[in-house]
Amino acid sequence: MSQPANPLFAAFDKASSDHLSRLAVATPKPAFSGAWTTVELQPDVFVPQRFTVGVVVQTPGDRLHFKLLDDFKKFECLYHDHFPQKSARELLAYAEAALRQAVKAKTAIPEIVFDTHCLTLSAPHFTSGDDRETTVERLFSEVVVMAP
């Protein structure tokens, strides 16, 4: 038994297809493609609440590019004296040092491990674009909600 024709596709004939084919253009090849990940901060190791405090972008075999949160006022609003800005600043300074070392060594994102349970990297995701730094800035503005 055959299925009835879908009226939406019935109107799509060869002339429509030819018209769309003439309008189609090749998708430009991005200047880079690679992976991106978030830097996650867990202020209290006994509470499974994490905050995205940075992003990392890397093309395979190339150095990584990153941006980290540098204003910690919102943590003080949430945690008061339980997690002062000084603690956040120290953890992010450590994260920056570890990521700068990874830049120098061209360490791949999956190989980066922080020596604290308070900092982790999320699973990498695909990204591409025209400029790595612009992509880092865009991703940072989209996912780091603790930024001022």
Side-chain angles (χ1 to χ4, degrees), residues 6-140:
N6 186 330
L8 292 174
F9 294 116
F12 191 79
D13 58 11
K14 180 153 177 42
S16 298
S17 174
D18 291 342
H19 173 71
L20 290 176
S21 293
R22 285 191 301 274
L23 296 175
V25 295
T27 304
K29 185 174 172 132
F32 84 94
S33 63
W36 75 281
T37 185
T38 57
V39 179
E40 304 290 326
L41 172 65
Q42 185 175 346
D44 186 341
V45 295
F46 299 108
V47 178
Q49 182 176 29
R50 291 190 173 108
F51 297 93
T52 300
V53 293
V55 295
V56 180
V57 171
Q58 185 177 40
T59 300
D62 197 7
R63 76 172 197 83
L64 55 90
H65 302 259
F66 67 93
K67 181 173 182 176
L68 297 172
L69 185 67
D70 60 0
D71 184 305
F72 312 104
K73 292 176 189 164
K74 290 184 180 180
F75 284 106
E76 203 160 275
C77 290
L78 292 171
Y79 288 96
H80 306 286
D81 295 334
H82 301 294
F83 187 69
Q85 288 186 44
K86 180 182 177 199
S87 297
R89 189 170 287 107
E90 289 172 359
L91 283 166
L92 271 287
Y94 164 71
E96 182 175 3
L99 291 171
R100 287 193 186 282
Q101 182 59 36
V103 167
K104 289 179 186 173
K106 291 188 178 180
T107 305
I109 288 174
E111 296 173 10
I112 299 169
V113 178
F114 297 111
D115 291 331
T116 175
H117 295 292
C118 295
L119 292 167
T120 57
L121 294 178
S122 67
H125 307 282
F126 175 79
T127 190
S128 64
D130 291 328
D131 179 73
R132 289 166 190 83
E133 292 299 329
T134 302
T135 301
V136 166
E137 292 294 331
R138 177 184 57 81
L139 290 168
F140 185 88

